[in-house]
Amino acid sequence: MRRRALAMATVTMLPLAAFTPASAALPGEQDRRGPTQRIAAQSIGWKPCHKRHRDTNRPQYRRLECATLKAPLDWKKPSGKKITLAISRLKARKQVKGVLFTNPGGPGAAGWTLPLIFIDTDRARLLDHMDIIGIDIRGTGYSTQASCKDAYGGTYDSRDRSRSNIRAMLFWAQEQAKGCQKYGGKKLPSKYVTTAQTVYDLEWIRRNLKASDGRKVKKVHWVGYSGGTWIGAYYARKWPKSTGRFVLDGVVDFSGSWQSFFDTQPKAFQARFEAFARWAAQYDDAYGLGGSQKAVLATYERVRAVAAKKYGIEVTRPDGRIESFSADQIDYTIISALYSKYLFADLALTLKDLVSAATGDASRKPLAGRAAQNPYAGETPTFYNLTCNDTPNTRNPRELVKFSGQSGKKYPLAGYSRLMDPCAYWKKVPGGLKLSRPVGGGLPRVLMVHSMGDPATPYIGAVKAHKAYQNSRLVTVADEGDHGIYAGDNPCVNDIVENYLIDGVYPRRDVTCQGTAASVPRVADRAADRPVNPLLRAWELSASGRG
């Protein structure tokens, strides 16, 4: 758990931008569900999922069923070429009160194992009364995969603002954009990997589904985390008659663009890193990183400077593996661990190892750029395609250089890396499927959940989305910084969400719950299956099948 968890990147991570917000409906779309009604429904054949990988072969997971169905590549041409959509299901254990769609965010994370987190977190009432559906959205998991020709060309230090290094990073961004748009897969070209196409896929799945008691599914409920809040809000806007009780947890500001959202992340990650530094300073006897927040941050800066100067630091792990960290890889290791307080101890141990290695003979050879092995190869391409296709990018490369430099000076952990943004080179394809923004009045109810210190989806964006989506309630979690709250360690949030999802009890006003930040463990000794953070557990389940 210790080392594996630090690779977690389940959610909207930087850098990037982009959604063509449009209010125009499709031609002849007075019937909002027209395209999904013009092709014949399919029979869904459920089969056990447990042979897919070792984690889903555990006895408690063997109830999970999997299926696939065909969907149009382009919903503007519903009778045209088809792709595959993969879904999973946990049938309600007792009386079925509804069908719950789930999404783990990313945007672009595979979702077929997500229903299992509700077993791990013992959400008994939810498991009793909801058919819980996991979905690999187009481009991910066992659905038709998106792909990009990787532009890995070396290890860069985003703080190096020399002309040659800036050119190299911009060239990477340009090649990554080209690798997705020009050299992506033929089965699912880049221009069809959008939130608009995905929202139609979800309605198509709803139309073909039957509840486990045999009834037609007239409305779907929703639990979407992080990037799944964006998708859920757009679905509610497009298909209000099909929208049941929607929960948006860790809200991406869907009232704006992906670019404006990603611009807010560096400040939030810096604040969360400072919170970690305060925590680590309490345990200087265990980690030796410094006895104050200022001292811990200074330790990080010293270690990072060594990695930048010597092209990386090599750390020997307890099992004998040698792991190399460039300066930027140190930053991304920290960023990944800031998603959950339950990764703080792992991060502190890693920084302790880096301090020890930095005082020795660190690697003096440039580190080769590398891509992590990932059988779920469509996740990163889907992330690039969704965030670059969806909304406009308004900066040219010169403006991006200036902005990233300004952001980096204020928020050095993540601000400088905004430079590596493929969306700055993305070529907009005209004539694509479009959606209206999910803002204003007259929309279906949604319940938003958000922690005030969330670094991945900053709280300021949740407040903006809440104000823009008028028929919403916001559950604020104070004194908390975890990303993803429902089905975790907060009883107040769990009760509010399930009273809404299962019983239809909608809060009369916005609510504040107290966070559980004080429970962050001193050492990395938690039991492997202890439910702590829903997205951390979702990542662990997904990671267990990655090779």
PDB file of all heavy atoms in Angstrom, residues 258-279:
ATOM      1  N   TRP A 258     -12.703  24.157 -18.685  1.00  0.00           N
ATOM      2  CA  TRP A 258     -11.635  23.352 -18.095  1.00  0.00           C
ATOM      3  C   TRP A 258     -10.400  24.219 -17.843  1.00  0.00           C
ATOM      4  O   TRP A 258      -9.704  24.054 -16.841  1.00  0.00           O
ATOM      5  CB  TRP A 258     -11.287  22.169 -18.995  1.00  0.00           C
ATOM      6  CG  TRP A 258     -12.244  21.019 -18.920  1.00  0.00           C
ATOM      7  CD1 TRP A 258     -13.114  20.594 -19.873  1.00  0.00           C
ATOM      8  CD2 TRP A 258     -12.428  20.137 -17.803  1.00  0.00           C
ATOM      9  NE1 TRP A 258     -13.828  19.512 -19.438  1.00  0.00           N
ATOM     10  CE2 TRP A 258     -13.429  19.205 -18.165  1.00  0.00           C
ATOM     11  CE3 TRP A 258     -11.854  20.046 -16.537  1.00  0.00           C
ATOM     12  CZ2 TRP A 258     -13.857  18.196 -17.302  1.00  0.00           C
ATOM     13  CZ3 TRP A 258     -12.280  19.031 -15.673  1.00  0.00           C
ATOM     14  CH2 TRP A 258     -13.271  18.123 -16.053  1.00  0.00           C
ATOM     15  N   GLN A 259     -10.095  25.129 -18.736  1.00  0.00           N
ATOM     16  CA  GLN A 259      -8.929  25.981 -18.551  1.00  0.00           C
ATOM     17  C   GLN A 259      -9.040  26.784 -17.254  1.00  0.00           C
ATOM     18  O   GLN A 259      -8.097  26.824 -16.451  1.00  0.00           O
ATOM     19  CB  GLN A 259      -8.761  26.942 -19.724  1.00  0.00           C
ATOM     20  CG  GLN A 259      -7.609  27.935 -19.542  1.00  0.00           C
ATOM     21  CD  GLN A 259      -7.499  28.892 -20.714  1.00  0.00           C
ATOM     22  OE1 GLN A 259      -7.133  28.491 -21.808  1.00  0.00           O
ATOM     23  NE2 GLN A 259      -7.817  30.155 -20.483  1.00  0.00           N
ATOM     24  N   SER A 260     -10.168  27.428 -17.045  1.00  0.00           N
ATOM     25  CA  SER A 260     -10.331  28.231 -15.837  1.00  0.00           C
ATOM     26  C   SER A 260     -10.298  27.361 -14.594  1.00  0.00           C
ATOM     27  O   SER A 260      -9.792  27.776 -13.540  1.00  0.00           O
ATOM     28  CB  SER A 260     -11.640  29.031 -15.904  1.00  0.00           C
ATOM     29  OG  SER A 260     -12.766  28.168 -15.970  1.00  0.00           O
ATOM     30  N   PHE A 261     -10.818  26.142 -14.695  1.00  0.00           N
ATOM     31  CA  PHE A 261     -10.759  25.220 -13.564  1.00  0.00           C
ATOM     32  C   PHE A 261      -9.314  24.855 -13.230  1.00  0.00           C
ATOM     33  O   PHE A 261      -8.884  24.938 -12.073  1.00  0.00           O
ATOM     34  CB  PHE A 261     -11.570  23.962 -13.856  1.00  0.00           C
ATOM     35  CG  PHE A 261     -11.246  22.826 -12.922  1.00  0.00           C
ATOM     36  CD1 PHE A 261     -11.659  22.868 -11.599  1.00  0.00           C
ATOM     37  CD2 PHE A 261     -10.500  21.743 -13.354  1.00  0.00           C
ATOM     38  CE1 PHE A 261     -11.334  21.827 -10.722  1.00  0.00           C
ATOM     39  CE2 PHE A 261     -10.176  20.712 -12.489  1.00  0.00           C
ATOM     40  CZ  PHE A 261     -10.599  20.754 -11.179  1.00  0.00           C
ATOM     41  N   PHE A 262      -8.544  24.439 -14.233  1.00  0.00           N
ATOM     42  CA  PHE A 262      -7.166  24.033 -13.972  1.00  0.00           C
ATOM     43  C   PHE A 262      -6.316  25.190 -13.464  1.00  0.00           C
ATOM     44  O   PHE A 262      -5.362  24.983 -12.713  1.00  0.00           O
ATOM     45  CB  PHE A 262      -6.544  23.414 -15.226  1.00  0.00           C
ATOM     46  CG  PHE A 262      -7.040  22.029 -15.523  1.00  0.00           C
ATOM     47  CD1 PHE A 262      -7.668  21.750 -16.729  1.00  0.00           C
ATOM     48  CD2 PHE A 262      -6.895  20.997 -14.619  1.00  0.00           C
ATOM     49  CE1 PHE A 262      -8.133  20.481 -17.009  1.00  0.00           C
ATOM     50  CE2 PHE A 262      -7.359  19.722 -14.878  1.00  0.00           C
ATOM     51  CZ  PHE A 262      -7.979  19.461 -16.085  1.00  0.00           C
ATOM     52  N   ASP A 263      -6.675  26.408 -13.838  1.00  0.00           N
ATOM     53  CA  ASP A 263      -5.936  27.571 -13.356  1.00  0.00           C
ATOM     54  C   ASP A 263      -6.052  27.738 -11.844  1.00  0.00           C
ATOM     55  O   ASP A 263      -5.193  28.368 -11.211  1.00  0.00           O
ATOM     56  CB  ASP A 263      -6.439  28.847 -14.036  1.00  0.00           C
ATOM     57  CG  ASP A 263      -5.961  28.987 -15.474  1.00  0.00           C
ATOM     58  OD1 ASP A 263      -5.098  28.195 -15.901  1.00  0.00           O
ATOM     59  OD2 ASP A 263      -6.458  29.898 -16.172  1.00  0.00           O
ATOM     60  N   THR A 264      -7.129  27.213 -11.246  1.00  0.00           N
ATOM     61  CA  THR A 264      -7.323  27.363  -9.799  1.00  0.00           C
ATOM     62  C   THR A 264      -6.593  26.291  -8.992  1.00  0.00           C
ATOM     63  O   THR A 264      -6.455  26.434  -7.768  1.00  0.00           O
ATOM     64  CB  THR A 264      -8.820  27.312  -9.440  1.00  0.00           C
ATOM     65  OG1 THR A 264      -9.350  25.998  -9.715  1.00  0.00           O
ATOM     66  CG2 THR A 264      -9.615  28.368 -10.206  1.00  0.00           C
ATOM     67  N   GLN A 265      -6.116  25.245  -9.632  1.00  0.00           N
ATOM     68  CA  GLN A 265      -5.519  24.140  -8.889  1.00  0.00           C
ATOM     69  C   GLN A 265      -4.200  24.484  -8.191  1.00  0.00           C
ATOM     70  O   GLN A 265      -3.990  24.073  -7.040  1.00  0.00           O
ATOM     71  CB  GLN A 265      -5.310  22.933  -9.805  1.00  0.00           C
ATOM     72  CG  GLN A 265      -6.574  22.157 -10.087  1.00  0.00           C
ATOM     73  CD  GLN A 265      -6.286  20.861 -10.825  1.00  0.00           C
ATOM     74  OE1 GLN A 265      -5.447  20.816 -11.732  1.00  0.00           O
ATOM     75  NE2 GLN A 265      -6.969  19.801 -10.451  1.00  0.00           N
ATOM     76  N   PRO A 266      -3.257  25.191  -8.824  1.00  0.00           N
ATOM     77  CA  PRO A 266      -1.971  25.423  -8.151  1.00  0.00           C
ATOM     78  C   PRO A 266      -2.099  26.054  -6.764  1.00  0.00           C
ATOM     79  O   PRO A 266      -1.402  25.653  -5.825  1.00  0.00           O
ATOM     80  CB  PRO A 266      -1.231  26.337  -9.134  1.00  0.00           C
ATOM     81  CG  PRO A 266      -1.760  25.939 -10.476  1.00  0.00           C
ATOM     82  CD  PRO A 266      -3.217  25.680 -10.225  1.00  0.00           C
ATOM     83  N   LYS A 267      -2.973  27.035  -6.615  1.00  0.00           N
ATOM     84  CA  LYS A 267      -3.162  27.671  -5.306  1.00  0.00           C
ATOM     85  C   LYS A 267      -3.675  26.657  -4.287  1.00  0.00           C
ATOM     86  O   LYS A 267      -3.213  26.617  -3.133  1.00  0.00           O
ATOM     87  CB  LYS A 267      -4.138  28.844  -5.428  1.00  0.00           C
ATOM     88  CG  LYS A 267      -4.375  29.583  -4.125  1.00  0.00           C
ATOM     89  CD  LYS A 267      -5.326  30.761  -4.314  1.00  0.00           C
ATOM     90  CE  LYS A 267      -5.548  31.507  -3.002  1.00  0.00           C
ATOM     91  NZ  LYS A 267      -6.461  32.671  -3.179  1.00  0.00           N
ATOM     92  N   ALA A 268      -4.622  25.834  -4.703  1.00  0.00           N
ATOM     93  CA  ALA A 268      -5.206  24.852  -3.782  1.00  0.00           C
ATOM     94  C   ALA A 268      -4.201  23.777  -3.402  1.00  0.00           C
ATOM     95  O   ALA A 268      -4.144  23.347  -2.235  1.00  0.00           O
ATOM     96  CB  ALA A 268      -6.449  24.236  -4.414  1.00  0.00           C
ATOM     97  N   PHE A 269      -3.407  23.309  -4.362  1.00  0.00           N
ATOM     98  CA  PHE A 269      -2.393  22.310  -4.034  1.00  0.00           C
ATOM     99  C   PHE A 269      -1.322  22.888  -3.111  1.00  0.00           C
ATOM    100  O   PHE A 269      -0.819  22.193  -2.224  1.00  0.00           O
ATOM    101  CB  PHE A 269      -1.753  21.751  -5.306  1.00  0.00           C
ATOM    102  CG  PHE A 269      -2.505  20.599  -5.905  1.00  0.00           C
ATOM    103  CD1 PHE A 269      -3.184  20.740  -7.109  1.00  0.00           C
ATOM    104  CD2 PHE A 269      -2.561  19.374  -5.270  1.00  0.00           C
ATOM    105  CE1 PHE A 269      -3.886  19.681  -7.666  1.00  0.00           C
ATOM    106  CE2 PHE A 269      -3.262  18.307  -5.808  1.00  0.00           C
ATOM    107  CZ  PHE A 269      -3.927  18.461  -7.007  1.00  0.00           C
ATOM    108  N   GLN A 270      -0.959  24.152  -3.324  1.00  0.00           N
ATOM    109  CA  GLN A 270       0.036  24.771  -2.455  1.00  0.00           C
ATOM    110  C   GLN A 270      -0.480  24.857  -1.019  1.00  0.00           C
ATOM    111  O   GLN A 270       0.250  24.568  -0.062  1.00  0.00           O
ATOM    112  CB  GLN A 270       0.392  26.173  -2.970  1.00  0.00           C
ATOM    113  CG  GLN A 270       1.645  26.751  -2.343  1.00  0.00           C
ATOM    114  CD  GLN A 270       2.908  26.046  -2.784  1.00  0.00           C
ATOM    115  OE1 GLN A 270       3.005  25.588  -3.923  1.00  0.00           O
ATOM    116  NE2 GLN A 270       3.872  25.947  -1.883  1.00  0.00           N
ATOM    117  N   ALA A 271      -1.741  25.235  -0.859  1.00  0.00           N
ATOM    118  CA  ALA A 271      -2.323  25.325   0.484  1.00  0.00           C
ATOM    119  C   ALA A 271      -2.385  23.956   1.152  1.00  0.00           C
ATOM    120  O   ALA A 271      -2.110  23.816   2.354  1.00  0.00           O
ATOM    121  CB  ALA A 271      -3.723  25.942   0.401  1.00  0.00           C
ATOM    122  N   ARG A 272      -2.722  22.941   0.382  1.00  0.00           N
ATOM    123  CA  ARG A 272      -2.793  21.580   0.934  1.00  0.00           C
ATOM    124  C   ARG A 272      -1.393  21.079   1.300  1.00  0.00           C
ATOM    125  O   ARG A 272      -1.222  20.395   2.316  1.00  0.00           O
ATOM    126  CB  ARG A 272      -3.441  20.664  -0.100  1.00  0.00           C
ATOM    127  CG  ARG A 272      -3.561  19.201   0.299  1.00  0.00           C
ATOM    128  CD  ARG A 272      -4.567  18.975   1.397  1.00  0.00           C
ATOM    129  NE  ARG A 272      -4.992  17.578   1.412  1.00  0.00           N
ATOM    130  CZ  ARG A 272      -5.635  16.994   2.392  1.00  0.00           C
ATOM    131  NH1 ARG A 272      -5.955  17.694   3.469  1.00  0.00           N
ATOM    132  NH2 ARG A 272      -5.996  15.727   2.330  1.00  0.00           N
ATOM    133  N   PHE A 273      -0.384  21.425   0.514  1.00  0.00           N
ATOM    134  CA  PHE A 273       0.987  21.042   0.823  1.00  0.00           C
ATOM    135  C   PHE A 273       1.444  21.708   2.122  1.00  0.00           C
ATOM    136  O   PHE A 273       2.139  21.102   2.941  1.00  0.00           O
ATOM    137  CB  PHE A 273       1.909  21.425  -0.334  1.00  0.00           C
ATOM    138  CG  PHE A 273       3.323  20.926  -0.203  1.00  0.00           C
ATOM    139  CD1 PHE A 273       3.604  19.706   0.407  1.00  0.00           C
ATOM    140  CD2 PHE A 273       4.374  21.677  -0.692  1.00  0.00           C
ATOM    141  CE1 PHE A 273       4.915  19.241   0.519  1.00  0.00           C
ATOM    142  CE2 PHE A 273       5.684  21.228  -0.594  1.00  0.00           C
ATOM    143  CZ  PHE A 273       5.951  20.012   0.022  1.00  0.00           C
ATOM    144  N   GLU A 274       1.048  22.933   2.315  1.00  0.00           N
ATOM    145  CA  GLU A 274       1.387  23.628   3.559  1.00  0.00           C
ATOM    146  C   GLU A 274       0.704  22.961   4.754  1.00  0.00           C
ATOM    147  O   GLU A 274       1.281  22.880   5.847  1.00  0.00           O
ATOM    148  CB  GLU A 274       1.001  25.097   3.451  1.00  0.00           C
ATOM    149  CG  GLU A 274       1.876  25.866   2.457  1.00  0.00           C
ATOM    150  CD  GLU A 274       1.365  27.257   2.143  1.00  0.00           C
ATOM    151  OE1 GLU A 274       0.303  27.638   2.697  1.00  0.00           O
ATOM    152  OE2 GLU A 274       2.007  27.966   1.340  1.00  0.00           O
ATOM    153  N   ALA A 275      -0.527  22.465   4.546  1.00  0.00           N
ATOM    154  CA  ALA A 275      -1.206  21.723   5.615  1.00  0.00           C
ATOM    155  C   ALA A 275      -0.448  20.433   5.924  1.00  0.00           C
ATOM    156  O   ALA A 275      -0.296  20.049   7.094  1.00  0.00           O
ATOM    157  CB  ALA A 275      -2.647  21.419   5.203  1.00  0.00           C
ATOM    158  N   PHE A 276       0.026  19.748   4.876  1.00  0.00           N
ATOM    159  CA  PHE A 276       0.850  18.558   5.099  1.00  0.00           C
ATOM    160  C   PHE A 276       2.111  18.910   5.880  1.00  0.00           C
ATOM    161  O   PHE A 276       2.518  18.184   6.797  1.00  0.00           O
ATOM    162  CB  PHE A 276       1.245  17.923   3.758  1.00  0.00           C
ATOM    163  CG  PHE A 276       2.425  16.992   3.871  1.00  0.00           C
ATOM    164  CD1 PHE A 276       2.262  15.690   4.332  1.00  0.00           C
ATOM    165  CD2 PHE A 276       3.707  17.427   3.542  1.00  0.00           C
ATOM    166  CE1 PHE A 276       3.356  14.841   4.470  1.00  0.00           C
ATOM    167  CE2 PHE A 276       4.800  16.588   3.664  1.00  0.00           C
ATOM    168  CZ  PHE A 276       4.630  15.288   4.136  1.00  0.00           C
ATOM    169  N   ALA A 277       2.747  20.018   5.512  1.00  0.00           N
ATOM    170  CA  ALA A 277       3.990  20.417   6.179  1.00  0.00           C
ATOM    171  C   ALA A 277       3.746  20.676   7.667  1.00  0.00           C
ATOM    172  O   ALA A 277       4.583  20.324   8.515  1.00  0.00           O
ATOM    173  CB  ALA A 277       4.573  21.652   5.499  1.00  0.00           C
ATOM    174  N   ARG A 278       2.605  21.274   8.000  1.00  0.00           N
ATOM    175  CA  ARG A 278       2.279  21.486   9.414  1.00  0.00           C
ATOM    176  C   ARG A 278       2.101  20.152  10.133  1.00  0.00           C
ATOM    177  O   ARG A 278       2.532  19.982  11.275  1.00  0.00           O
ATOM    178  CB  ARG A 278       1.005  22.335   9.547  1.00  0.00           C
ATOM    179  CG  ARG A 278       1.181  23.785   9.129  1.00  0.00           C
ATOM    180  CD  ARG A 278      -0.003  24.634   9.563  1.00  0.00           C
ATOM    181  NE  ARG A 278      -1.240  24.258   8.888  1.00  0.00           N
ATOM    182  CZ  ARG A 278      -1.620  24.740   7.710  1.00  0.00           C
ATOM    183  NH1 ARG A 278      -0.848  25.594   7.054  1.00  0.00           N
ATOM    184  NH2 ARG A 278      -2.771  24.368   7.169  1.00  0.00           N
ATOM    185  N   TRP A 279       1.459  19.213   9.454  1.00  0.00           N
ATOM    186  CA  TRP A 279       1.279  17.882  10.043  1.00  0.00           C
ATOM    187  C   TRP A 279       2.620  17.191  10.227  1.00  0.00           C
ATOM    188  O   TRP A 279       2.911  16.645  11.308  1.00  0.00           O
ATOM    189  CB  TRP A 279       0.367  17.046   9.131  1.00  0.00           C
ATOM    190  CG  TRP A 279       0.282  15.612   9.551  1.00  0.00           C
ATOM    191  CD1 TRP A 279      -0.590  15.077  10.468  1.00  0.00           C
ATOM    192  CD2 TRP A 279       1.093  14.528   9.094  1.00  0.00           C
ATOM    193  NE1 TRP A 279      -0.358  13.731  10.608  1.00  0.00           N
ATOM    194  CE2 TRP A 279       0.669  13.372   9.772  1.00  0.00           C
ATOM    195  CE3 TRP A 279       2.135  14.434   8.179  1.00  0.00           C
ATOM    196  CZ2 TRP A 279       1.246  12.120   9.565  1.00  0.00           C
ATOM    197  CZ3 TRP A 279       2.731  13.193   7.967  1.00  0.00           C
ATOM    198  CH2 TRP A 279       2.287  12.051   8.648  1.00  0.00           C
TER     199      TRP A 279
END
